[in-house]
Amino acid sequence: MKKILLIATAFSIAAGAPLLAMASPSGDLQAFRSYFQKRFPNVKMADFKDGIYSIDTARRDAWLEFEDFAPAYEDGVALGKELFNKPFKNGKTYASCFENNGIGIRQNYPRFDAKSGKIVTLEGAINKCRIDNGEEKLGWKKGKIAAISAYMSFTSRGNKVDIKVPNDPRALAIYERGKRHFYAKRGQLNFSCADCHVYQSGNMARGNLLSPAIGHITHFPVWRKKWAKKSEAKGKRGPTRGFGTIQRRYGGCNKQVRAKPFKAQKDEYNALEYFHTYMSNGLEVNGPALRQ
Amino acid sequence: MRTPQIAKLFAVLLLTSGFATGCSSQPGKPSASPEAVSAISAAKAANKKAKAVGYEWRDTGKTLKKAEALANKGDSAGAIKLAKKAESEAMLAVKQYELEKSMDRSLK
């Protein structure tokens, strides 16, 4: 009798576990979308790609003026295009490392690589491409890598975010790690990502309107006025001065709640980016974009 | 086989003598009290635990460095005060990790 029970239990675990695991990310996405639809009933789901500008009319109008007139990121995108097309010493270009020659592919990143069992971010793939072609890797969070990434986002505008979480225990474990990071409180201020960008989204934190987490990643890398000012204060006035990747932002957010940030492009932030991006599945890529 | 063992022994002796020289008070240079050294050491150990679980707070390391700087200047009371603050932060960070690990705050 004991044996039968044991076999039955083992069978039910073996059969049930993958199903539960498969259901989890899509269930999370449904709950996420539903929450924001209820929180901001007047905002169309597709508009969440515009971040705070989807929930605040006055800010949206000012932002649209900037976007229409002369967006500050334009020169950075042009530089990114130039770098993207500039041959390496071996004569190859970035196009040789990516599907569709690297054009219009941002929506597929970050992706789970079954061979290594790791997450590949777009910036990670850019640097891998450099190393594979005998070049030095670039710094992770800003500067040239952000410009190249911004150009690749620019060529992907209008494509819908399409992150896959395969039914692979390694992919699911990374997804869960990212989810845990997103919802867990940390730092001296005891805040989670979700505290500000889910439960308090749309409210003010000092002079800042807290953006909804849904659609966060569609417009990265971003050109932040704050980052541009910081660079200018150091005498840097180049076309990438306001650029930053999503992982630069993660570090900033962690610091703001007085937690020690993790290193960019390592497992913790890669997991967070994987979960965070999956939560915007179905929204259009519209990066790069201006942000406060 | 004996040569590496001798080399190891020599290296240990060299390091020990180095520590002894470095830690002993030098004429004219203020030294920290054993209490201050102990408080800093306890705070460092606590912060190492917080770091290991990925929950280190932003300013704890900075506070520790300040404590060490005060200790080097001979301000043991100031060093102990900051070291205790750092230790307390580090312990709270570990508690925070333990609490968060046991909770699911995600949207349902």
Side-chain angles (χ1 to χ4, degrees):
Chain A
M1 187 62 189
K2 267 185 183 176
K3 268 188 182 174
I4 293 168
L5 271 174
L6 197 69
I7 291 165
T9 311
F11 181 76
S12 64
I13 289 169
L19 287 175
L20 282 173
M22 271 175 77
S24 179
S26 59
D28 289 346
L29 179 59
Q30 213 174 351
F32 208 71
R33 291 170 73 101
S34 162
Y35 174 86
F36 283 104
Q37 273 176 330
K38 277 182 199 152
R39 188 165 179 86
F40 302 102
N42 299 323
V43 178
K44 287 179 194 159
M45 181 50 67
D47 288 345
F48 281 115
K49 70 182 188 305
D50 294 331
I52 57 165
Y53 308 118
S54 65
I55 59 172
D56 185 284
T57 315
R59 281 181 169 84
R60 183 181 181 84
D61 291 344
W63 170 69
L64 285 174
E65 287 292 321
F66 277 116
E67 283 281 346
D68 287 345
F69 178 61
Y73 55 75
E74 261 183 354
D75 290 347
V77 172
L79 174 70
K81 184 180 181 181
E82 192 187 315
L83 293 169
F84 184 85
N85 292 316
K86 189 179 169 187
F88 301 127
K89 283 176 212 133
N90 65 7
K92 288 185 179 177
T93 63
Y94 288 101
S96 67
C97 299
F98 294 95
E99 64 272 26
N100 200 35
N101 293 323
I103 304 300
I105 58 162
R106 155 67 74 181
Q107 69 281 358
N108 302 323
Y109 285 85
R111 62 178 180 78
F112 174 73
D113 176 40
K115 201 175 165 189
S116 64
K118 298 251 180 192
I119 292 300
V120 178
T121 63
L122 187 58
E123 288 79 16
I126 290 169
N127 258 344
K128 184 178 183 301
C129 182
R130 291 183 63 83
I131 292 161
D132 289 350
N133 285 288
E135 301 285 327
E136 293 278 310
K137 68 177 184 182
L138 299 170
W140 285 119
K141 296 185 282 189
K142 54 188 177 178
K144 287 179 183 171
I145 205 164
I148 296 165
S149 179
Y151 168 66
M152 292 176 83
S153 285
F154 189 77
T155 68
S156 311
R157 280 186 171 183
N159 296 347
K160 288 182 177 169
V161 177
D162 186 22
I163 304 305
K164 306 270 195 305
V165 182
N167 187 22
D168 179 318
R170 296 168 302 168
L172 289 163
I174 296 169
Y175 171 88
E176 282 301 327
R177 182 176 180 171
K179 180 179 167 185
R180 183 156 284 284
H181 186 110
F182 184 81
Y183 286 105
K185 292 174 184 285
R186 62 180 62 244
Q188 196 169 9
L189 299 188
N190 202 36
F191 272 48
S192 67
C193 305
D195 280 335
C196 289
H197 297 291
V198 176
Y199 305 116
Q200 296 298 326
S201 56
N203 291 340
M204 300 294 290
R206 296 190 193 167
N208 295 318
L209 181 64
L210 295 168
S211 55
I214 194 163
H216 258 172
I217 53 77
T218 62
H219 40 271
F220 272 84
V222 292
W223 177 282
R224 286 189 80 201
K225 292 176 197 167
K226 181 181 171 178
W227 288 338
K229 263 188 187 175
K230 204 174 159 187
S231 296
E232 285 158 11
K234 290 177 185 168
K236 293 176 186 169
R237 305 197 65 85
T240 64
R241 66 189 184 280
F243 270 147
T245 63
I246 186 75
Q247 295 204 10
R248 182 181 182 187
R249 193 73 190 91
Y250 290 158
C253 279
N254 278 167
K255 275 187 207 165
Q256 280 171 331
V257 299
R258 296 189 197 164
K260 180 127 187 187
F262 292 86
K263 286 192 173 157
Q265 300 297 327
K266 297 286 183 196
D267 291 346
E268 188 73 15
Y269 281 166
N270 283 357
L272 177 60
E273 187 177 334
Y274 191 43
F275 166 78
H276 193 195
T277 311
Y278 183 83
M279 287 298 115
S280 289
N281 260 2
L283 297 180
E284 282 181 8
V285 173
N286 60 341
L290 294 171
R291 287 296 180 269
Q292 53 191 352
Chain B
M1 278 301 283
R2 284 193 63 81
T3 317
Q5 278 178 340
I6 292 166
K8 269 185 196 171
L9 186 67
F10 183 71
V12 170
L13 283 172
L14 197 69
L15 280 171
T16 317
S17 63
F19 278 127
T21 317
C23 295
S24 64
S25 55
Q26 293 164 14
K29 192 185 174 194
S31 63
S33 68
E35 289 80 11
V37 172
S38 164
I40 290 170
S41 168
K44 275 186 176 174
N47 204 35
K48 204 173 168 186
K49 282 182 193 164
K51 190 178 181 178
V53 294
Y55 267 70
E56 187 184 0
W57 288 2
R58 186 190 66 185
D59 300 333
T60 310
K62 291 176 200 166
T63 308
L64 259 167
K65 275 186 185 162
K66 282 180 192 165
E68 282 181 310
L70 288 179
N72 286 337
K73 282 181 194 164
D75 180 357
S76 291
I80 291 169
K81 193 180 169 189
L82 287 183
K84 294 268 180 209
K85 185 183 176 218
E87 187 185 12
S88 157
E89 282 182 13
M91 286 164 77
L92 284 169
V94 174
K95 274 191 184 168
Q96 185 182 42
Y97 158 74
E98 278 160 5
L99 178 68
E100 293 305 307
K101 196 175 67 168
S102 66
M103 292 190 83
D104 179 5
R105 299 182 188 274
S106 63
L107 287 173
K108 299 287 181 292

